[in-house]
Amino acid sequence: MTVKKADDVLRIGIFEPTLERELSARYEIDSLPAGPERARFLAEHGARFRVVVTSGLGGVDAHTMAALPNLRAIVNNGAGVDSIDLQAARHRGIGVSNTPDVLSDTVADTALGLILMTLRRFGAADRYVRAGRWAREGPFGYASDVSGLQVGILGLGRIGSAIATRLLGFDCAVAYHNRHPKDGVPYRYAPSPLELAESVDVLVVATSGDAATRHLVDRRVLEALGPEGYLINIARGSVVDQDALVELVAGGGLGGAGLDVFADEPRVPEALFELDNVVLFPHIGSATARTRRAMALLTIRNLENYLSTGELVTPVLRPGK
């Protein structure tokens, strides 16, 4: 495979290994330096770039866009675009793409894994055996059933719908909240996150993470779940009031939580580490070899299509719109 020099493309942030490998096999692309070299690089070279390739570990804010006066497209490796200032991009007519669909099933599987591990206490049971406690202390304590529960999904998009489909196999009754009810959906609609939480045993957060959804799951929503309710978050840490979550789950105000995302990754509140009613994942929702390669290849398709036609394959914002 011939490696092409792409002088008008800039990469920003740390790339997931599969994207790094696939992109480097095709293109030679300049990287935006970190630290004190960043401002000097942008001042000297910023006008050269019309496309940015980034990921959730990088992001493009309004200040960076301003330093790239000829920027026309941002190609993002990931479904979430919360690390990109969409308002600034829209104002300047900069297109933004993401990688939808290819990760929906894998992230939905992760959500089911978190539900099972949290309610059935599988992780705690594994630690119980490894610590030799089964032989010393006898049988492990009871857990909670998953089958037949009332489960609420906050954000019935591609991933939320995939989660709902899986829950039907457990005979769960599914409800959801979106900004508006969805046509043709067989699940019960709740008019607000609070009303959804009041009516379910498990609340699964699957909405996008942006300014509009910050702390959408606030203290009132968490308290509505109650001491026998569970929160599962595979969306973004910003959607949940993390301080309230820690306080409630540690103090018995919430039955438990399964978390793949946090407010300030990779930092996780240490108060959660010793709690057996909490399952903690290091943001691995889409972390399978097949899915990460599919994401990388879709990212590259967006880049190549924009370079050849001026259009993005999976646009969140269309260029010039």
Side-chain angles (χ1 to χ4, degrees):
M1 186 179 297
T2 303
V3 178
K4 306 173 186 176
K5 174 64 175 174
D7 290 322
D8 56 352
V9 180
L10 177 67
R11 49 179 288 172
I12 296 180
I14 300 170
F15 283 6
E16 194 274 330
T18 304
L19 177 62
E20 180 74 55
R21 182 175 63 252
E22 297 289 347
L23 191 63
S24 298
R26 293 165 173 81
Y27 292 98
E28 182 182 340
I29 299 174
D30 287 330
S31 297
L32 180 63
E37 291 297 311
R38 181 186 181 103
R40 185 173 65 81
F41 179 91
L42 288 171
E44 293 180 4
H45 305 287
R48 171 157 53 95
F49 302 106
R50 65 188 182 101
V51 184
V52 160
V53 181
T54 188
S55 72
L57 298 175
V60 188
D61 58 20
H63 179 74
T64 303
M65 292 182 206
L68 300 167
N70 295 311
L71 182 62
R72 295 294 177 266
I74 299 170
V75 176
N76 183 63
N77 182 58
V81 291
D82 48 303
S83 62
I84 298 170
D85 191 327
L86 293 181
Q87 183 176 353
R90 184 180 292 109
H91 178 73
R92 290 188 48 188
I94 298 170
V96 177
S97 68
N98 66 342
T99 57
D101 295 322
V102 294
L103 50 66
S104 298
D105 284 333
T106 300
V107 177
D109 291 347
T110 302
L112 260 294
L114 278 171
I115 292 170
L116 287 166
M117 286 190 68
T118 304
L119 274 73
R120 290 297 312 275
R121 301 178 63 204
F122 288 151
D126 176 79
R127 294 190 294 273
Y128 191 81
V129 173
R130 291 175 186 273
R133 295 177 62 188
W134 189 15
R136 294 196 309 269
E137 302 175 29
F140 185 69
Y142 292 156
S144 299
D145 283 315
V146 173
S147 297
L149 291 182
Q150 301 273 341
V151 181
I153 299 177
L154 186 60
L156 197 71
R158 295 177 177 91
I159 294 172
S161 296
I163 295 169
T165 300
R166 285 156 173 75
L167 288 168
L168 296 179
F170 288 84
D171 293 324
C172 291
V174 177
Y176 76 100
H177 172 75
N178 280 5
R179 290 186 179 92
H180 306 286
K182 297 187 70 171
D183 293 335
V185 169
Y187 315 121
R188 176 175 60 86
Y189 177 73
S192 71
L194 179 61
E195 291 169 272
L196 181 63
E198 288 173 336
S199 66
V200 298
D201 305 299
V202 180
L203 180 63
V204 182
V205 184
T207 189
S208 59
D210 53 35
T213 60
R214 177 174 172 76
H215 287 188
L216 190 62
V217 179
D218 58 15
R219 177 180 291 274
R220 290 196 313 149
V221 173
L222 294 169
E223 289 177 341
L225 278 170
E228 296 184 0
Y230 295 85
L231 179 82
I232 306 296
N233 191 3
I234 48 83
R236 287 292 186 267
S238 61
V239 181
V240 177
D241 182 340
Q242 185 167 279
D243 291 340
L245 171 64
V246 172
E247 179 184 329
L248 289 168
V249 79
L254 188 65
L259 308 172
D260 186 43
V261 290
F262 303 89
D264 186 25
E265 297 177 4
R267 285 166 284 278
V268 176
E270 291 187 9
L272 297 176
F273 290 168
E274 301 303 320
L275 299 179
D276 273 346
N277 60 338
V278 179
V279 176
L280 307 172
F281 286 176
H283 203 151
I284 56 168
S286 63
T288 68
R290 182 178 66 178
T291 297
R292 289 292 172 85
R293 186 166 191 270
M295 291 169 63
L297 294 179
L298 182 52
T299 299
I300 292 168
R301 279 181 60 207
N302 272 290
L303 173 62
E304 292 178 339
N305 202 71
Y306 183 80
L307 292 176
S308 61
T309 71
E311 294 294 334
L312 297 164
V313 177
T314 51
V316 176
L317 295 177
R318 294 187 181 279
K321 304 300 182 183

